[in-house]
Amino acid sequence: MNIIKALLFLFLTTFAFTARANSGDILLPKGAKVAYQAKVNGKLCQLYKGRLYVDGKYTFLKTGKPLRNFGSKKECERFIAEDLPVIKEKGFNNLVLNCYWHQFDRDGDGTIDVDTAPLKAVIDKINELGMFASIAVETYGVGGGTIPKQFFKRFPDAIAIDSTGKKCIDDEYGKGTAVPSLFDKNYLKATRLYIANLARALADKDILNFESTVEPQYIGNKTLDFSPAARKAYKEYIQNNAIPAPEMPAEYPVSREFLDSPVFGIFLAENLGNWVSQDIKAFKDAYKKPVFAAVDYLDALEETMRNRMGNPEIFLASLKDVQIIQVNWSWHLKTRSPNDKAYARVRAINRILNRNWAISEHMTLNGSDFRGAETPALLK
């Protein structure tokens, strides 16, 4: 295997609808009330009690996310010729193709600026090899996603503002990218137009699931958001809900008392869940065929969770029309042990609200966060 192929597998991530053991010959019980179903490549895919059944048989998914520019004809052709045969040989049966916003929509107006025929050819080849193809988008500016540069030139006020009054850049993950406000209407309009246009472009192809922006969060090392759009949204939120709540301070730095306000945390969490849910709706409405929806859930160091999503339980409870929750940090990177708190939260909301989610992982093994000696315990 050459270096390029080795790097590809370095970034492959594995997760499954049920993240344990062999499928064997477990059959869907007769008369089972399935939570969701879709016809993919002529196969009936059904979700029942957190497991995927394909044509009535439980199927374990070994999923890879190859990080390639699928907006590039050259990279798509190379991927088909060099990478896919090796991936198939390694036993993967589902590939999530990450369609970065800036790689398909160069000026950030929501219109796709590149030919999608090469991406379609990749999907066709994946299906031809007997694997499933899935689609993901990255439209945020934290953790790897990049906003098209022209977008912020047109809408400079769309950037998020932290609690010290500074414009937010991603200095937690070291990417240095500008972070958009998840309350800004111009940002939401452009990204959802892009998502819908991508779905329409792929409507004649069969895909297993659509994955919203990777690891949805605000950011972990500072508190957002105090942009004009966020301030307006918060004022409307407390008015519409008629609840006693502190006003958002006009001066910086914002007081700790306000940052710790339970209402502010719930406000952030509900907005985060709504952002993800509306992105999913944009894709499903335009795709016009049943497709599973997958959402990452990042439950990292507990002291960062307030910044990341306001209130983790409220975020999870706010998700709509979601079939799969993919736990990131399934392995706690500080304690070097299973991240039980993440699964406890997801399972509790799943049970209490009867969501019927498949609980899986994002980046079970990503080639950088894990140590070789930990792999047996991680996969147990």
Side-chain angles (χ1 to χ4, degrees), residues 100-103 138-142 144-149 175 177-178:
Y100 290 89
W101 183 20
H102 71 288
Q103 292 176 344
E138 291 221 20
T139 57
Y140 194 42
V142 173
T146 301
I147 310 302
K149 292 179 181 178
K175 304 296 182 180
T177 49

Side-chain angles (χ1 to χ4, degrees), residues 227-256:
S227 65
R231 289 179 174 279
K232 181 174 183 292
Y234 179 76
K235 185 176 181 180
E236 291 173 352
Y237 179 81
I238 59 176
Q239 289 175 344
N240 294 340
N241 288 283
I243 50 177
E247 291 186 4
M248 184 177 284
E251 61 279 354
Y252 296 105
V254 176
S255 68
R256 175 48 56 186

Side-chain angles (χ1 to χ4, degrees), residues 8-85:
L8 170 71
F9 285 105
L10 177 69
F11 290 107
L12 279 170
T13 65
T14 62
F15 51 87
F17 277 17
T18 297
R20 297 288 174 262
N22 263 327
S23 333
D25 290 320
I26 302 173
L27 302 179
L28 182 69
K30 235 177 188 180
K33 187 177 180 181
V34 300
Y36 195 84
Q37 65 181 31
K39 204 74 176 283
V40 186
N41 300 331
K43 300 172 183 176
L44 182 59
C45 300
Q46 297 172 293
L47 181 61
Y48 176 67
K49 292 189 175 180
R51 285 179 167 177
L52 175 68
Y53 291 82
V54 179
D55 289 337
K57 186 175 180 180
Y58 166 47
T59 302
F60 178 86
L61 285 184
K62 182 178 179 181
T63 299
K65 181 177 281 188
L67 301 186
R68 289 286 186 262
N69 179 0
F70 293 108
S72 162
K73 183 174 185 289
K74 183 177 179 181
E75 287 205 38
C76 285
E77 290 175 345
R78 187 176 183 178
F79 180 74
I80 291 171
E82 297 183 11
D83 299 326
L84 270 181

Side-chain angles (χ1 to χ4, degrees), residues 14-276:
T14 62
F15 51 87
F17 277 17
T18 297
R20 297 288 174 262
N22 263 327
S23 333
D25 290 320
I26 302 173
L27 302 179
L28 182 69
K30 235 177 188 180
K33 187 177 180 181
V34 300
Y36 195 84
Q37 65 181 31
K39 204 74 176 283
V40 186
N41 300 331
K43 300 172 183 176
L44 182 59
C45 300
Q46 297 172 293
L47 181 61
Y48 176 67
K49 292 189 175 180
R51 285 179 167 177
L52 175 68
Y53 291 82
V54 179
D55 289 337
K57 186 175 180 180
Y58 166 47
T59 302
F60 178 86
L61 285 184
K62 182 178 179 181
T63 299
K65 181 177 281 188
L67 301 186
R68 289 286 186 262
N69 179 0
F70 293 108
S72 162
K73 183 174 185 289
K74 183 177 179 181
E75 287 205 38
C76 285
E77 290 175 345
R78 187 176 183 178
F79 180 74
I80 291 171
E82 297 183 11
D83 299 326
L84 270 181
V86 181
I87 294 172
K88 174 66 176 177
E89 181 188 333
K90 297 296 180 183
F92 289 90
N93 57 359
N94 182 41
L95 295 185
V96 180
L97 309 178
N98 225 359
C99 299
Y100 290 89
W101 183 20
H102 71 288
Q103 292 176 344
F104 283 79
D105 172 17
R106 291 167 181 159
D107 56 6
D109 64 354
T111 302
I112 293 177
D113 300 320
V114 302
D115 185 6
T116 56
L119 171 62
K120 291 183 178 184
V122 171
I123 295 172
D124 286 341
K125 190 62 178 180
I126 291 171
N127 292 336
E128 181 187 316
L129 290 172
M131 298 183 283
F132 290 113
S134 295
I135 293 294
V137 294
E138 291 221 20
T139 57
Y140 194 42
V142 173
T146 301
I147 310 302
K149 292 179 181 178
Q150 290 298 320
F151 175 79
F152 281 122
K153 288 183 179 179
R154 290 199 309 277
F155 304 109
D157 289 340
I159 195 165
I161 305 295
D162 69 24
S163 60
T164 69
K166 295 178 182 177
K167 293 181 178 181
C168 185
I169 62 167
D170 180 10
D171 54 6
E172 180 182 20
Y173 292 83
K175 304 296 182 180
T177 49
V179 178
S181 169
L182 298 183
F183 299 89
D184 186 83
K185 290 182 179 179
N186 291 311
Y187 165 74
L188 297 174
K189 179 180 178 181
T191 52
R192 287 180 185 146
L193 181 59
Y194 163 64
I195 290 169
N197 281 330
L198 182 65
R200 277 189 282 268
L202 301 178
D204 60 338
K205 301 298 174 187
D206 280 356
I207 62 173
L208 182 64
N209 69 266
F210 167 72
E211 180 182 309
S212 67
T213 288
V214 65
E215 300 171 23
Q217 60 176 307
Y218 291 96
I219 196 168
N221 64 350
K222 59 194 74 176
T223 304
L224 304 178
D225 180 11
F226 300 90
S227 65
R231 289 179 174 279
K232 181 174 183 292
Y234 179 76
K235 185 176 181 180
E236 291 173 352
Y237 179 81
I238 59 176
Q239 289 175 344
N240 294 340
N241 288 283
I243 50 177
E247 291 186 4
M248 184 177 284
E251 61 279 354
Y252 296 105
V254 176
S255 68
R256 175 48 56 186
E257 181 182 8
F258 179 81
L259 298 181
D260 290 340
S261 159
V263 174
F264 182 56
I266 293 169
F267 163 73
L268 291 175
E270 288 185 1
N271 181 71
L272 191 67
N274 185 62
W275 169 54
V276 172

